[in-house]
Amino acid sequence: MNLSTLATAARTARKSRRAIAELLAPLDQLAADSPNLVANHEARFDAHGGSYELPRYLFVGPRGGDTPIRVGLFAGIHGDEPEGVHALVQFIRLLETRPELAAGYYLSFYPVCNPSGFEDNTRTSRAGKDLNREFWRSSAEPEVRLLEAELRSRQFQGLISLHTDDTSEGFYGYAHGATLAKHLIEPALAAAENYLPRNGLPVIDGFAARRGIICDGYAGILTAPPQLRPRPFEIILETPAGPPAYLKELAFVAALQTILAEYRKFIAYAPNL
Ligand SMILES: [Zn+2]
C-alpha cells in the first residue's frame, strides 16, 4: 500500500467509527445549565495508541430526607450494544425534565464503559478483550482498572447494567447481590413489558431462568468490589436486539424508572421492619 492509500484507509476507518462526542453533546449541553446534572470528563486512560475518556455523569436528585442513595448505572461495556448507551442518555434527559423521579438519589452514570469498542462497534475493546469477563481478576485492561477504581470509591448501594442479547426474543435480566435484587427486577421487567415481550423461557443464555429472571451469571462481570458489605443490589437488564430502537430505549427507561421507585419505597420502609 502506498502512503495515499494508507491515508484513505485511515480516513475511512475514522469515518466508520461511531462518534462518542456527538452522542454525549446533548448531555453536556444539559449539564451546562442544570442544577442537577454534572458532566465529568476527567477520567482518562491511554490505550490502543490513543487517549480515551471514560465519560461520567452525575445526577443529583432533589433531597429525599436521609443521606442520598448512591446508584451506579452502566452501559456499553460491550461496544456493539448501543441500545443501553442510548437508553442512559434518554434516561438522563427524562430526569432533567422530571428530577423528582430521582428524588433521594445520587446517580452515577457511565454510559460508554468500552469507548474503543463503541467506536468500532465491537463487543470487545480494541485490545480484543471482553471487558465484562475481566473484573476483580487483577486485569491489566485500563478500562477495567478505571471502572474498578470508581466502584471502590463510590461504594454504590445499587448497580444497574444494560446489555443487548441478539439471541433473545424477549427482555430479561439478572438479579445479583442483595436478595432484594429479585424484588426489584420483577416490577422492572413488568414495566418493560409495556414495550417489549418478556423472555419466559426456562433457560436463557445457558442459565436457568424464571419469568425472565436469572440469578446465576458469568464470572468476571462488572460488579461491586467482592469485599463490599452490605452487598448492593445488582441488576443486569438485557434487551433483545431485534425490535425497533425506540421500543428498546422505552423498555430500558421504564425499567430504570421502576427500579428507582421501588428501591426508594424499600428504603423508606426498611427502618420499620
Ligand atoms: Zn452485553
Side-chain angles (χ1 to χ4, degrees):
M1 243 195 271
N2 65 31
L3 267 183
S4 86
T5 327
L6 267 178
T8 312
R11 253 200 314 277
T12 316
R14 263 202 305 277
K15 253 193 153 168
S16 68
R17 282 183 189 170
R18 275 197 298 233
I20 296 174
E22 242 166 71
L23 169 88
L24 301 177
L27 293 185
D28 293 333
Q29 230 157 27
L30 282 181
D33 304 315
S34 169
N36 303 95
L37 181 64
V38 181
N40 185 325
H41 297 293
E42 306 297 305
R44 301 200 66 90
F45 61 94
D46 292 315
H48 328 298
S51 173
Y52 284 84
E53 181 202 334
L54 178 75
R56 297 176 295 179
Y57 294 86
L58 180 67
F59 192 92
V60 182
R63 280 293 299 270
D66 274 330
T67 33
I69 311 163
R70 300 177 311 279
V71 173
L73 299 100
F74 305 85
I77 189 92
H78 290 136
D80 59 350
E81 300 176 3
E83 290 84 352
V85 175
H86 293 292
L88 285 193
V89 172
Q90 289 306 330
F91 189 49
I92 294 172
R93 298 175 83 150
L94 172 68
L95 294 180
E96 193 54 37
T97 55
R98 296 181 56 196
E100 73 277 7
L101 294 175
Y105 282 97
Y106 197 92
L107 302 174
S108 297
F109 287 89
Y110 303 86
V112 191
C113 291
N114 173 3
S116 65
F118 183 81
E119 284 184 344
D120 297 349
N121 193 19
T122 55
R123 177 181 176 90
T124 63
S125 66
R126 207 164 286 152
K129 292 272 184 183
D130 182 340
L131 301 179
N132 211 30
R133 300 290 181 272
E134 292 279 320
F135 280 83
W136 311 113
R137 296 177 149 178
S138 312
S139 174
E141 301 311 306
E143 298 91 336
V144 173
R145 298 178 73 117
L146 206 47
L147 282 162
E148 285 178 346
E150 293 286 316
L151 291 161
R152 255 192 230 105
S153 67
R154 306 272 167 176
Q155 307 220 330
F156 297 117
Q157 289 149 279
L159 284 82
I160 308 170
S161 298
L162 306 186
H163 285 265
T164 307
D165 184 346
D166 59 7
T167 67
S168 177
E169 298 286 321
F171 202 91
Y172 68 94
Y174 294 81
H176 297 151
T179 321
L180 166 78
K182 278 178 246 171
H183 304 292
L184 297 176
I185 196 172
E186 172 52 44
L189 295 182
E193 244 176 325
N194 289 316
Y195 305 101
L196 293 176
R198 193 190 297 217
N199 184 335
L201 295 174
V203 176
I204 305 173
D205 203 16
F207 298 112
R210 226 184 130 258
R211 291 184 42 75
I213 302 170
I214 302 167
C215 294
D216 212 331
Y218 294 100
I221 61 167
L222 191 161
T223 180
Q227 303 80 9
L228 184 66
R229 296 291 181 278
R231 294 303 292 168
F233 73 81
E234 302 190 41
I235 291 175
I236 301 167
L237 298 172
E238 299 263 0
T239 181
Y246 79 98
L247 284 178
K248 294 185 277 193
E249 287 169 25
L250 281 168
F252 270 143
V253 168
L256 293 174
Q257 215 177 305
T258 304
I259 293 169
L260 295 190
E262 292 294 318
Y263 190 63
R264 186 190 296 114
K265 267 192 244 168
F266 169 79
I267 291 279
Y269 294 145
N272 308 319
L273 292 178

